[in-house]
Amino acid sequence: MVRERVIEIFRRALSEGAAQGRWPAADAGFSVEAPRDPKHGDFAVNAAMVLAKGAGKPPRVLAQAILEAVRAADAQQEIAALEIAGPGFINVRLAPDVWLRALERAVAAGADYGRTAVGKGKKVIVEYVSANPTGPMHVGHGRNAVTGDGVQSLLRWAGFDVTREYYVNDYGAQVLTLARSVHLRYQELHGRQITFPPKAYPGEYVKDIAAALKAELGDRFLDAPEPEWLALFRDRAVQHVLGMIKGDLAAINIEFDRWSSEKALYESGTVDRFLRFLEEKDLVYVGKLPPPKSKKGQAAPPPPPPPQDGDAHDAADDAVSPAEDLTLFRSSSYGDEVDRPVKKADGTPTYFCADIAYHWEKRQRADVLVDVLGADHGGYVPRLEAALEALGASRKDLHVVLIQMVNLTRGGEAVKMGKRAGNVVWLREVLDEVGRDAARFIFLTRRSDAPLDFDVELAKKQTLDNPVFYVQYGHARLSAIFAKAREAGHAVPDFDLEALRTLGSPEEQDLIRRIAAFPDMLAGAALAYEPHRVAFYLQETIAAFHSWYTQGKKSGERVIGPDGRKTAARLFLCRALKQVLANGLAVLGVSAPERMESPETRDIEAEV
């Protein structure tokens, strides 16, 4: 990585200077970032500002000394220019050959270009989707799934040891409601009139579960009391729905390494052992839940529970009365607003209790925990962080990625596609209409914490207006360039530094820097848990390519031209760029086609 080379040179210089007593050791670290305005150089380094206080010198004075040490440490003369700017930044401009060497690395590394060792030695569990097994995945779950999958993919590319995990909420109130809904359908299939309560699950899949149970059990549980059939109907319903969810996940090309069960936490005694552990550590006490307070200290009504849309956290299980004597977790001592109930007055553990037990168990298996949750669970995060801190870990060990809602539209107009359950839009319906690549890419065209407008008609278009088509079209166009080059007798070029030095146009220099920045971009996106950065990078980079390509046609400087050396250089640039596009799409789980057949792509080969 180019940025890593700058960091390495500065670290060498700072280490030597610290050993000579010229400034303190740079243990606190320093930043090396690309400035917004390229006129200020390739990178800006704040080392002098970080070390100034310890060195007892003004930042700009110290910057001059560091600048001289960096020049001495730059044995390979990779830095072309250094200058002091502002309050003490050191602006760095690299030698042109450094950027050209990045093209060589991109081609040499091939499908591994962009992989780094940023997270080497660290284990991460990424828990995502974790939809309650009460129905198929809806579009909101799809955005969660793709974002979570993008996060885990980025972390793998950054060298982390990643476990992809799905937490199955197969014990709480919602799966019992599902079981009762199935029993109602079971009665209906035996010819009885039924009435569905407001919170029941009326979908067609519930009828399918009931039909399977009827075929297997006949009328055995038709008039049986609820305790005799509830657990059986729950387990069969959960098993059936999980099969549907796994099918939905497979349709969008998502797999998990581990499926953890909430029910198993109870049946194995884990929750009971965890409660005893909390008691031994004096982290719980018996008392009444205080009313929530507003910022001015006035009593406020409790917030409404999050909508029961199948997301992971089952608020219904934690409903308690303020008058009850509860077992409360001392979470307010660790940054939470109030102490949280972990056991109800009747001795039943709350959902929160099982959830922190699960997170504590996960923390024993990994250094970092990543949860991908719906934005309506943002208020749940502080109590999880408080729990981890109380249990001896760090609240920084948990990172939560919040997913905002998806607004499904067709040509800009709101649309309801669901046919099986009211206003619910099933993910599979969208996938069947727009395809996996379009769905995955479009889910990442906005930050996860911002609402997303998903236009079905746009996602189906085979035109440059469609963001995934736009990027894939660029990859296909590059493939067509190489096909034309072979027809014209040009071999796929190897790295030739002298030839590459002919790439002097601003558009070519921009593409070279974009290719060089790819590993840094992936590493930064991984550490920020932001896969949308990759989608943004791909769109911006392919736009730069199309601009260069169009400019070349207008000016007569086509990729394949009369100058053999320039042709070789441009083909090598295209080779590196094609690899970057393929790798970026692979990070997002999107294909990189060699050919694209549509009215708008018929000109690909003809235009080269």
Side-chain angles (χ1 to χ4, degrees):
M1 295 191 293
V2 173
R3 178 172 169 272
E4 284 298 317
R5 290 295 302 142
V6 176
I7 293 173
E8 184 180 332
I9 293 169
F10 268 79
R11 280 179 178 162
R12 189 185 310 134
L14 292 173
S15 178
E16 291 175 1
Q20 297 166 5
R22 300 174 67 189
W23 47 71
D27 295 331
F30 55 92
S31 68
V32 176
E33 303 296 339
R36 292 183 179 179
D37 187 347
K39 294 179 181 178
H40 296 155
D42 298 320
F43 296 98
V45 184
N46 71 343
M49 299 160 70
V50 171
L51 297 173
K53 184 176 181 180
K57 296 179 180 179
R60 288 184 64 92
V61 173
L62 184 58
Q64 182 62 44
I66 293 174
L67 182 150
E68 293 167 0
V70 168
R71 287 196 178 115
D74 182 21
Q76 299 181 33
Q77 297 185 336
E78 295 174 84
I79 296 176
L82 294 165
E83 64 179 10
I84 301 169
F89 286 104
I90 299 176
N91 288 344
V92 180
R93 194 175 300 278
L94 296 175
D97 286 359
V98 174
W99 298 104
L100 298 178
R101 292 285 182 188
L103 301 185
E104 180 184 28
R105 288 194 296 274
V107 170
D112 288 329
Y113 182 62
R115 293 191 184 275
T116 63
V118 170
K120 186 177 181 180
K122 291 184 179 181
K123 293 184 177 182
V124 182
I125 293 174
V126 184
E127 182 209 328
Y128 52 112
V129 188
S130 295
N132 283 341
T134 54
M137 291 176 61
H138 57 59
V139 174
H141 292 141
R143 189 182 189 191
N144 181 305
V146 170
T147 301
D149 207 51
V151 168
Q152 69 82 25
S153 178
L154 277 170
L155 291 170
R156 289 177 191 272
W157 276 73
F160 289 87
D161 181 358
V162 179
T163 297
R164 301 166 294 182
E165 194 148 332
Y166 190 118
Y167 183 49
V168 182
N169 297 115
D170 51 2
Y171 190 80
Q174 291 193 51
V175 291
L176 294 180
T177 299
L178 175 64
R180 294 183 180 105
S181 301
V182 171
H183 193 265
L184 286 170
R185 290 297 190 192
Y186 174 75
Q187 294 178 56
E188 184 180 51
L189 289 173
H190 280 92
R192 295 188 175 177
Q193 290 291 111
I194 61 168
T195 301
F196 267 88
K199 292 185 179 180
Y201 295 95
E204 290 295 320
Y205 64 93
V206 178
K207 291 182 181 180
D208 295 338
I209 302 168
L213 285 166
K214 178 178 181 290
E216 177 187 353
L217 305 170
D219 62 359
R220 177 180 168 188
F221 294 110
L222 189 59
D223 295 308
E226 183 178 279
E228 292 186 15
W229 55 261
L230 187 61
L232 173 64
F233 275 55
R234 176 199 62 195
D235 293 346
R236 294 296 178 84
V238 166
Q239 182 182 14
H240 181 94
V241 173
L242 275 180
M244 298 173 68
I245 289 173
K246 289 178 180 180
D248 292 341
L249 291 168
I252 203 166
N253 198 28
I254 290 176
E255 298 178 351
F256 286 90
D257 302 305
R258 179 172 175 140
W259 294 74
S260 292
S261 162
E262 181 187 1
K263 183 159 72 81
L265 288 176
Y266 285 94
E267 292 177 345
S268 66
T270 299
V271 174
D272 288 337
R273 287 193 299 273
F274 184 68
L275 277 168
R276 289 197 296 271
F277 174 77
L278 294 178
E279 292 168 359
E280 291 168 3
K281 296 293 184 181
D282 193 30
L283 291 172
V284 293
Y285 65 97
V286 176
K288 290 181 172 57
L289 189 66
K293 300 289 184 179
S294 69
K295 291 183 179 180
K296 296 181 179 180
Q298 300 297 318
Q308 300 299 300
D309 60 357
D311 285 340
H313 300 292
D314 196 341
D317 287 350
D318 285 357
V320 293
S321 168
E324 291 183 90
D325 282 325
L326 309 166
T327 301
L328 299 172
F329 175 64
R330 300 183 190 276
S331 52
S332 64
S333 300
Y334 298 92
D336 197 5
E337 294 179 350
V338 297
D339 293 338
R340 304 290 178 177
V342 291
K343 190 161 62 173
K344 301 178 185 179
D346 62 3
T348 305
T350 62
Y351 177 86
F352 176 60
C353 178
D355 204 28
I356 58 176
Y358 169 57
H359 278 77
W360 182 239
E361 184 273 333
K362 285 197 295 184
R363 181 60 182 84
Q364 310 314 302
R365 295 187 277 119
D367 303 298
V368 179
L369 308 180
V370 181
D371 286 1
V372 183
L373 302 174
D376 54 355
H377 294 103
Y380 196 83
V381 177
R383 68 190 73 174
L384 284 178
E385 293 175 336
L388 284 173
E389 185 173 337
L391 294 165
S394 168
R395 62 199 310 116
K396 294 182 180 180
D397 294 341
L398 173 68
H399 186 89
V400 177
V401 178
L402 295 176
I403 308 296
Q404 273 288 0
M405 65 184 296
V406 178
N407 303 310
L408 202 70
T409 63
R410 190 183 295 277
E413 298 293 328
V415 63
K416 296 178 181 178
M417 293 176 61
K419 299 177 182 178
R420 291 175 283 177
N423 294 332
V424 175
V425 180
W426 300 128
L427 174 63
R428 185 65 71 91
E429 294 178 78
V430 176
L431 292 176
D432 289 346
E433 186 162 356
V434 308
R436 184 175 69 198
D437 281 350
R440 288 191 69 118
F441 197 91
I442 290 173
F443 278 136
L444 296 173
T445 53
R446 293 291 302 274
R447 292 180 57 94
S448 65
D449 57 0
L452 171 71
D453 291 329
F454 190 117
D455 193 317
V456 176
E457 289 303 317
L458 177 63
K460 290 163 56 179
K461 284 184 177 180
Q462 299 291 296
T463 71
L464 300 184
D465 295 328
N466 180 343
V468 67
F469 183 91
Y470 187 55
V471 175
Q472 290 177 319
Y473 172 88
H475 186 270
R477 172 174 267 176
L478 286 160
S479 297
I481 286 173
F482 286 106
K484 277 291 184 182
R486 286 190 295 270
E487 290 178 10
H490 295 281
V492 177
D494 293 323
F495 179 75
D496 183 339
L497 185 58
E498 289 298 324
L500 288 169
R501 285 172 177 163
T502 65
L503 299 177
S505 74
E507 293 82 7
E508 289 165 342
Q509 290 297 308
D510 178 49
L511 284 173
I512 291 167
R513 279 164 170 73
R514 287 179 179 280
I515 293 166
F518 181 67
D520 288 320
M521 182 277 299
L522 287 187
L527 295 176
Y529 311 100
E530 293 183 342
H532 71 270
R533 293 192 189 185
V534 185
F536 289 7
Y537 168 89
L538 290 172
Q539 292 178 93
E540 292 166 359
T541 299
I542 206 61
F545 164 67
H546 287 312
S547 175
W548 170 62
Y549 185 89
T550 302
Q551 283 293 114
K553 285 172 58 184
K554 291 180 178 179
S555 64
E557 292 286 335
R558 292 175 180 266
V559 176
I560 302 170
D563 187 322
R565 173 172 283 190
K566 281 190 175 182
T567 294
R570 288 170 180 157
L571 284 174
F572 195 85
L573 173 62
C574 288
R575 187 178 175 188
L577 178 60
K578 183 172 180 284
Q579 189 66 65
V580 163
L581 293 178
N583 291 5
L585 288 167
V587 171
L588 302 183
V590 176
S591 68
E594 297 290 325
R595 291 181 59 86
M596 297 182 72
E597 297 294 339
S598 81
E600 191 152 335
T601 62
R602 289 173 185 165
D603 62 347
I604 289 180
E605 294 185 5
E607 287 185 351
V608 177

